[in-house]
Amino acid sequence: MAFDWLDGMAVVGFIALAAAAFALEGIVVAAAFGGFALSLSVWRLYGGRPWEALGWLAWVCAAGTLVLDIGGGAFLTLFLGFGLVGVFLLIGGRFGYLRDVWSVDSSEA
């Protein structure tokens, strides 16, 4: 699947958040990343790509573990788990590895 305008905005947003990480506290950047990923998730869902929306939503949860500062092994498990689930959902949705279960074909009904 081709690179669209939302992917371009995601790249620009990530670069801006990476630059902000040098000037702001980590928890502020993590919260900003969570909000940014949530907006990307909503736009992907609105654009008809639900698997990618779920992938971005998993990254929102990963950013939430940074903000909540759980600590210990639970933090590592939650952060890496949500991050990996998000990556796999994004890749699977983008390259067609996951089936389109949301669309209904009226000819089969």
Side-chain angles (χ1 to χ4, degrees), residues 6-100:
L6 194 58
D7 295 328
M9 297 313 299
V11 169
V12 169
F14 287 137
I15 291 171
L17 284 170
F22 293 109
L24 301 173
E25 273 189 60
I27 194 163
V28 173
V29 175
F33 175 74
F36 181 66
L38 184 60
S39 69
L40 289 173
S41 175
V42 169
W43 276 104
R44 281 298 179 200
L45 187 60
Y46 180 74
R49 295 183 182 174
W51 289 118
E52 290 183 43
L54 288 173
W56 287 113
L57 195 59
W59 280 21
V60 170
C61 295
T65 59
L66 290 172
V67 172
L68 293 177
D69 193 24
I70 298 169
F75 164 75
L76 194 60
T77 302
L78 288 173
F79 181 73
L80 291 178
F82 283 129
L84 287 175
V85 166
V87 166
F88 289 134
L89 285 171
L90 285 169
I91 290 172
R94 178 54 61 109
F95 293 111
Y97 295 127
L98 299 171
R99 293 184 54 174
D100 184 15

